[in-house]
Amino acid sequence: MSVEVLDSATIVGFVEDEEAFNAFIGDRFSSLDVDRDGCLSYAEMLRDLQGLRVLETHFGVDVKPDPDEVAHVYGSLFGQFDHDANGSVDLEEFKAETRRMMLAVADDLGFLPVQMVLEEDSFLKKAVERELTKVAA
């Protein structure tokens, strides 16, 4: 983990950089597609969703969430990616939903820079790294 400064332009720039965005999405999708069938099952995506620890922490403090609530939230998140509701997520669905979610994050951030703690292999960390590379060039 690292503390980084970013704003909406950092995220939007990464999403709009087709080469960088597609490379990240392809790598992320491949890492999640354990059985290498070209689609993500709920079980394959669940590990990544659980890594977000959305319901398991409250302001950085571990809490014991209701298992039914957790299952409902993760099921809903999976449903957001499964656009055709066939029970699996293909690369195009994964790319489209990740793009939509990241642009929503950018919209919520606004134009003022914020400091965030980011996971090393996260989308936002890759966006910051891309921005730093551009600035250094």
Side-chain angles (χ1 to χ4, degrees), residues 2-69:
S2 63
V3 177
E4 305 291 345
V5 176
L6 70 152
D7 62 8
S8 63
T10 301
I11 298 169
V12 170
F14 186 59
V15 169
E16 290 178 349
D17 181 341
E18 289 291 322
E19 183 178 343
F21 180 75
N22 288 340
F24 173 80
I25 291 298
D27 289 346
R28 187 63 167 212
F29 188 88
S30 292
S31 72
L32 297 174
D33 187 13
V34 176
D35 63 8
R36 304 288 182 236
D37 68 350
C39 291
L40 302 178
S41 66
Y42 176 75
E44 288 172 321
M45 280 194 71
L46 183 60
R47 284 191 310 278
D48 203 45
L49 295 173
Q50 288 171 329
L52 298 174
R53 295 180 42 85
V54 173
L55 299 174
E56 292 85 357
T57 60
H58 183 71
F59 295 105
V61 177
D62 286 347
V63 295
K64 182 77 172 155
D66 176 356
D68 291 336
E69 180 183 6

Side-chain angles (χ1 to χ4, degrees), residues 5-17 21 102-114 116 123-124 126-132 134-135:
V5 176
L6 70 152
D7 62 8
S8 63
T10 301
I11 298 169
V12 170
F14 186 59
V15 169
E16 290 178 349
D17 181 341
F21 180 75
M102 290 302 100
L103 290 175
V105 168
D107 189 47
D108 286 345
L109 276 180
F111 296 103
L112 296 176
V114 296
M116 296 178 80
F123 181 91
L124 294 177
K126 296 298 181 189
V128 168
E129 289 171 352
R130 177 192 165 275
E131 188 75 14
L132 290 174
K134 277 182 38 186
V135 170

Side-chain angles (χ1 to χ4, degrees), residues 90-109:
D90 64 31
L91 178 60
E92 290 307 311
E93 289 173 314
F94 187 74
K95 185 188 312 182
E97 192 58 26
T98 302
R99 179 185 309 276
R100 189 188 72 76
M101 288 183 173
M102 290 302 100
L103 290 175
V105 168
D107 189 47
D108 286 345
L109 276 180

